[in-house]
């Protein structure tokens, strides 16, 4: 059963929280926080529920500020997610947990690993971008292999909120962001993701704008500071977050394990999400 609640933080902001125990409560042995992509709602990944029930996984997640039922936080950084996750975990009485995210959720799971040492047991990032736009890190051409619309969006983000809002207001949709197998997955086994994206934009673009601005600012931590086991999963046909981003992260996150998915696009890489969840469970204490 999925329970949705609103958590009011000390500063008055609200976070809309999702809690799915899954199966019988006495069989739950591990907690995994889900970090959603851009622009999505934060409900936990429905296509993984059957497996998570077998594994005894409890899912916790939330709408990032500005999405769904969560209050905006316009100046947030990627690292701000660790503070929000810790507040949710404290309220629910959860001391240790794993974190998993897709696409824009990837940087936010890395934030938790870096900024919540001792609490994060393991993290998995699927199709998550590298932070080189902010840090100008060497060894990666950030936009090489990225679809044109995505590159334009991030360049506008670097120019500032007004420029990004103006670009998004044009409503330009670039079908080339996904290849045909991605579109097929969105119509079938990962149709849930399409619903989350529609819900994420239902209240307007503010959450998406705040996400994009956070990606191009300093993240508030270094990926070299991660203190938990890290799994990076990246498709070699991804047009949204090119494969080289995953390679860069795997080189810079301490001890990271890298799964390169041949032919994997931004959505079809999620067909490795079940294996990634099993990896998290294997690296998480009871």
């Amino acid at each position: 059963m999925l329970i949705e609640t609103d958590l009011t933080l000390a500063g008055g902001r609200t976070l809309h929280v999702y809690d799915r125990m899954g199966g019988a409560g006495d069989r739950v042995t591990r907690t995994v926080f889900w970090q959603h992509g851009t622009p999505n709602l934060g409900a936990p990944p429905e296509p993984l529920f059957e497996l998570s029930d077998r594994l005894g996984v409890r899912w916790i997640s939330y709408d990032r500020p500005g999405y769904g039922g969560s209050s905006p936080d316009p100046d947030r950084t990627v690292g701000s997610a660790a503070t929000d996750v810790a507040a949710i975990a404290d309220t629910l009485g959860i001391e240790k947990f794993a974190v998993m995210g897709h696409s824009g959720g990837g940087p936010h799971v890395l934030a938790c690993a870096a900024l919540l040492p001792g609490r994060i047991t393991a993290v998995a990032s699927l199709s998550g971008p590298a932070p080189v736009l902010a840090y100008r890190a060497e060894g990666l051409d950030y936009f090489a292999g990225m679809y044109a619309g995505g590159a334009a969006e991030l360049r506008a983000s670097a120019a500032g909120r007004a420029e990004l809002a103006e670009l998004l207001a044009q409503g330009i949709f670039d079908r080339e962001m996904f290849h045909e197998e991605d579109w097929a997955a969105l119509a079938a086994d990962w149709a849930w993701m399409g619903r989350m994206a529609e819900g994420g934009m239902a209240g307007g673009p503010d959450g998406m704008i705040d996400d994009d601005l956070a990606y191009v600012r300093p993240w508030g931590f270094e990926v070299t500071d991660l203190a938990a086991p890290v799994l990076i999963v990246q498709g070699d046909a991804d047009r949204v977050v090119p494969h080289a981003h995953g390679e860069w992260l795997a080189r810079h996150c301490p001890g990271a394990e890298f799964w390169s998915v041949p032919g994997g696009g931004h959505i079809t890489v999620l067909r490795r999400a079940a294996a990634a969840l099993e990896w998290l469970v294997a690296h998480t204490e009871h």
Side-chain angles (χ1 to χ4, degrees):
M1 180 174 63
L2 182 64
I3 299 172
E4 300 184 40
T5 58
D6 288 331
L7 171 64
T8 302
L9 304 177
R13 282 195 298 116
T14 296
L15 292 177
H16 189 71
V17 178
Y18 305 82
D19 184 350
R20 185 184 187 276
M21 191 69 69
D26 59 359
R27 292 205 303 268
V28 172
T29 59
R30 297 168 178 85
T31 298
V32 179
F33 270 74
W34 172 256
Q35 284 284 353
H36 66 82
T38 302
N40 287 182
L41 293 179
E46 184 179 304
L48 298 180
F49 284 176
E50 182 177 349
L51 173 62
S52 61
D53 288 350
R54 294 200 305 269
L55 295 175
V57 167
R58 177 186 185 184
W59 288 104
I60 306 294
S61 59
Y62 66 105
D63 299 332
R64 271 197 303 279
Y67 288 105
S70 293
S71 305
D73 185 13
D75 296 323
R76 61 183 166 92
T77 66
V78 170
S80 299
T83 302
D84 287 347
V85 166
I88 295 168
D90 290 346
T91 299
L92 296 175
I94 302 168
E95 177 58 29
K96 293 188 176 183
F97 46 92
V99 189
M100 183 178 188
H102 172 251
S103 188
H108 295 89
V109 306
L110 301 182
C112 293
L115 299 174
L116 300 176
R119 300 194 71 172
I120 305 302
T121 56
V123 301
S125 170
L126 290 83
S127 300
V132 291
L133 194 66
Y135 297 121
R136 303 294 190 265
E138 297 181 358
L140 174 62
D141 181 346
Y142 196 87
F143 295 112
M146 186 179 294
Y147 79 104
E153 184 178 319
L154 288 171
R155 288 192 172 102
S157 302
R161 180 177 296 272
E163 289 81 355
L164 176 58
E166 182 179 354
L167 176 69
L168 294 179
Q170 297 174 20
I172 299 172
F173 177 75
D174 189 348
R175 185 178 173 82
E176 293 303 310
M177 66 192 303
F178 300 140
H179 57 55
E180 289 307 312
E181 289 189 15
D182 282 332
W183 289 114
L186 284 169
D189 49 328
W190 281 92
W192 167 86
M193 182 65 73
R195 298 197 302 272
M196 292 301 100
E198 291 176 2
M201 290 298 291
D206 288 348
M208 183 178 186
I209 289 172
D210 292 341
D211 266 354
D212 283 347
L213 293 175
Y215 298 142
V216 302
R217 295 175 181 136
W219 283 5
F221 66 96
E222 301 287 346
V223 298
T224 53
D225 293 339
L226 273 60
V230 179
L231 174 63
I232 304 294
V233 186
Q234 188 70 43
D236 68 5
D238 194 331
R239 298 171 180 169
V240 178
V241 179
H243 186 260
H245 287 235
E247 293 178 316
W248 189 93
L249 287 169
R251 290 197 303 270
H252 290 83
C253 296
E257 186 171 334
F258 182 48
W259 293 358
S260 177
V261 182
H266 199 64
I267 303 301
T268 55
V269 75
L270 287 166
R271 290 172 175 163
R272 296 300 305 275
L277 180 60
E278 291 174 332
W279 183 94
L280 280 177
V281 168
H283 286 79
T284 299
E285 299 175 358
H286 285 271

